[in-house]
Amino acid sequence: MQAEKYPRKTAATMSYINKPKFKHPQMQTNDIGLTRRDYEGTLTTLCGGCGHDSISAAIIQAAAEMSLEPHRVAKISGIGCSSKIPSYFLSKAHGFNSVHGRMPSVATGANIANKELYYVGVSGDGDSASIGLGQFCHIVRRRINMLYIVANNGTYGLTKGQLSATADLGSRTKSGEESQFDNIDMATLAIELGASFVARSFSGDKKQLIPLLQAGLSHKGFAFIDVISPCVTFNNTDFSTHGYKNTWENHIALSEVDFVPMREEITTSYAAGKEKEITLHDGSAIHLHKTGNDYDPTDKENAMHHINAHKKQGKIATGLLYINQSTADLHELQDTVDRPLNSLGDQELCPGSKALNDINNTFR
Amino acid sequence: MKPTDIADPDYFHKVVDCQWACPAHTPVPEYIRLIAEKRYTDAYMINWHSNVFPGILGRTCDRPCEPACRRGRVEEEPVAICRLKTVAADYKSDITDLLPQAPKKKNGKRIALIGAGPASLTVARDLLPLGYEITLFEKDALSGGAMRTQIPRFRLPAEVLDEELNYILDMGVNCRFGEEITSMRDILAEGYDAVFVGTGAPLGKWLDLPGHEEAKDNIHTGIEWLASVAFEHISSVGKNVLVLGGGNTAMDCCRTSKRIGGKEVSVVVRSGFEEMKASPWEIEDAMNEDIPILNFHVPKRYIVENGKLVAMEFEKVRKEIDANGRRQLIPTGEEPAILPCDDVLCAIGQENSFPWVERDLGIEFDQWEVPVLNKSTFQSTHEKVFFGGDAALGPDNIITAVAHGHDAAVSIHLLCEKQDITKRPNPLTNLSSQKMGIHQWSYDNDISADFRFAVPHADKQVTLNDINVEVELGFDEQLAFNETMRCLNCDVQTVFTDKLCIECDACVDICPTDCITFTQNQKEPKLRTNLLAPAENDEQDLYVSDLLLTGRIMAKNEDLCLHCGLCAERCPTNAWDMHKYLFNTAKAENACQS
């Protein structure tokens, strides 16, 4: 049989194939008639087994369950493996893949122009803890209402596995180089700089990650989630503190988190004293089930203490680390008009010389 | 749950739904891939070894594979498996060199086969290459049994039938055709080493209603009437024809009537349209030929005028479900329906019948006059006598008869080799990785999203005027290719190695149908509801691993797996790999090799 006679291709074929459109026949649709599959993006081009793919999958699941309208979401990222993630979820959302370490600037600008969108910034340890550390500090300080995710693998995967600034002291690269510096802990940094929602999670643990993403999206103010997301190719060895094995063995949830969307009546009940409920501004709620250590995520000093105490023992404290709902976001502090600035017309933005004179008169 | 034992030959076999459902367990996806590659001859031979009559079955099979097809669960319609088989048969090249030969030197054992239908011919096909001397008895002048007498030529052309019958007869069978057997005692007296009875279910049922005696010249049983048409003893029928019954024989009767003079041909059934036993596609074909099907009509009497049948009376009924959940037909109280007719064809059932088997030979029959058999060996209570096909377990279909034939041939071979015939040979299985590169597989996993393609039909004006013109034209090569690309390759299995898994969730995240879950081990019913997507189809297994690093297990719902291989492509450690599972039932030739 001649190969050219084959109608389409030979039996052996290159993949990746496109992900088949067939889905589970009983797949649920959410309140706006979409299934989880409708929140997918393009097929990933990251290495198989990359933690970042699990983060995309968790965002897809979180958004579908919350019935987010994809066109009301803006995805913004910088450079790096992490910053490719926005391609792989919510293909119907807005997106901006910006310059290395400059995602915060673009997110700030976008948020100022249109405060009505859900902003999801995705960055990595290189993008946010090295080249973009300054930008990171300032977006936290400016209290932009957004969800900022760092996909943290402790290595520069895209440049083949050098140590990053979040690599723990003593952790080694695949080629054996040992980290001689203390790591930058993004979570304590965010708490320090005034973030009003700080969490840490693990890409492998969606049961924890999904409710945290949902809470972060619902939180009004700057929400930060540091997600340990192993680099399967360059930093998944037994002597890395960011690999699957170490993270599975050493991540300790300070409390178990459930997210209850606002439309749902809260029906689950737990034994008294075992649970804490935090109602968010949009009416949804976080339920925290205590896991033994009496953890209070509203106490800043306590949060810093727990994170550091766990770290000293080689453990990673995860879950909702800190929340403060009384902090105003940038728009409140700046007292901007109720309508998004990008919806204002020429008349409102340029009210004419009389209005200018009136303003000037107030300074005289 | 306990970890799944994939070494059990049935485990992955069951995942190949079509093959599992097929009585002969034909490796369907394997031959569909060969058709896609235009390797029609190879595709045909896989079929031939498994089901003996690919060309015939491609046109006539009851298709137990198609309702089982996974495609029907993830989309709407199954792959047109049966008609693809026809493609393999129609486009193949000469296969005579590929057929097994009967050795010139015989093994000295003589076997008698009674009835030249699919069951007996399968036994002959399996035993001839092993050196057996086969004597085939048939009351008709030609072989084929029900395939010749009950299936009309516009569904199964004579040349297709003869070709596949001759592949077997040409191996060297002593044919004693046109010889009606009247005594099993006489057969046994001829000293055969084994006797196989494959006489089918030749007794059509009559509907004995008032007026039957006067009208009997114009009342026929469906199967006998079809046989008479097949042998050209009957070449015409009255203008008005009523066909009673809702099975496939009724569909063949009405369509045959239309072709030999019936103008107003109707099918009348007692119960509802949905309860008809005929295959949906055969009902559809009859309706396409403008044959009305009247349901909820209970026949009451034959109406005879001047000594001739002129009509039948029917009571109109409706369906009700009684308190016990049983269906009842309740008269509606309307005027009875009087349907004019010149001929009535009763296609209301058929039975096997053994008036020629003396009851003092040690061959026991049960209270329904059915032979007492071992259901896996097909041996009767007489050591040397075996039954198969409709003769064994009552009316079924060709592919079941073929499966019986294979099993009986194994039994006969074991018997003649003086081995324990209840120790059945293991199936022939092979499980091997299909990985050819990082993202490269030896099979095409890029599955078409097309809906099922319809088989083109010949012009109705032509087919209705010539009983020998085949109605279905079959797929052309392009249509056949397009249809093959709908097959999900369910025989390419997802094989999981728990020791390699690092629990990164890559497989969970990529799976299009949410088959894979990592969770705490639980009892099966609970586990089924706690998966990422609940596994509600209890007929489909869960594939469960041993404990992993985190103390969880991997549980995969086999029900909706597309076998796309994306889990294995995304898996960084090869914990998932795609392995092709080939399964073939053992035939007589494999029975005595241990």
Side-chain angles (χ1 to χ4, degrees), chain B residues 55-56 59-60 140 142-163 165 225-232 252-253 255-257 259-260 289 398 463 466-472:
Chain B
I56 295 170
R59 293 167 164 86
T60 62
D140 292 326
L142 294 167
S143 65
M147 300 188 292
R148 186 179 300 278
T149 61
Q150 293 178 28
I151 294 171
R153 294 291 78 82
F154 56 86
R155 287 215 289 133
L156 175 59
E159 55 274 20
V160 175
L161 179 65
D162 289 333
E163 176 192 323
L165 297 173
W225 184 81
L226 286 170
S228 301
V229 175
F231 287 119
E232 297 176 355
D252 286 335
C253 285
R255 296 176 69 194
T256 299
S257 302
R259 286 162 169 79
I260 58 170
E289 292 175 359
I398 301 170
T463 59
D466 185 345
I467 194 165
N468 291 318
V469 174
E470 189 174 9
V471 172
E472 292 196 1

Side-chain angles (χ1 to χ4, degrees), chain A residues 142-298:
Chain A
R142 283 176 182 150
R143 303 174 183 181
I144 301 298
N145 182 13
M146 72 178 296
L147 171 62
Y148 192 118
I149 299 165
V150 166
N152 184 352
N153 56 17
T155 190
Y156 295 144
L158 210 57
T159 53
K160 302 198 173 178
Q162 300 81 0
L163 291 160
S164 83
T166 62
D168 295 293
L169 182 68
S171 183
R172 277 190 279 152
T173 65
K174 198 176 176 181
S175 58
E177 187 197 354
E178 191 171 315
S179 174
Q180 298 175 9
F181 307 109
D182 235 326
N183 69 311
I184 294 176
D185 186 313
M186 301 296 284
T188 47
L189 186 61
I191 295 172
E192 191 75 36
L193 291 166
S196 49
F197 177 108
V198 177
R200 175 136 54 209
S201 189
F202 169 37
S203 65
D205 189 354
K206 291 207 192 69
K207 221 175 132 198
Q208 182 190 53
L209 178 56
I210 291 169
L212 285 174
L213 288 167
Q214 292 170 327
L217 282 164
S218 299
H219 175 74
K220 186 158 178 280
F222 186 79
F224 175 73
I225 307 181
D226 178 32
V227 186
I228 312 290
S229 176
C231 171
V232 73
T233 306
F234 292 110
N235 201 17
N236 191 37
T237 57
D238 286 350
F239 38 87
S240 157
T241 52
H242 278 77
Y244 280 106
K245 189 159 177 283
N246 184 69
T247 314
W248 274 121
E249 284 170 357
N250 292 310
H251 94 92
I252 292 177
L254 296 180
S255 54
E256 281 177 17
V257 186
D258 266 350
F259 177 78
V260 186
M262 57 181 162
R263 65 186 179 283
E264 272 177 35
E265 204 181 328
I266 296 163
T267 50
T268 44
S269 64
Y270 297 87
K274 285 278 178 195
E275 189 193 355
K276 187 179 170 75
E277 183 180 309
I278 301 171
T279 307
L280 301 173
H281 284 283
D282 67 359
S284 57
I286 309 170
H287 284 200
L288 300 172
H289 314 296
K290 291 175 185 171
T291 53
N293 47 2
D294 198 8
Y295 187 73
D296 177 10
T298 59

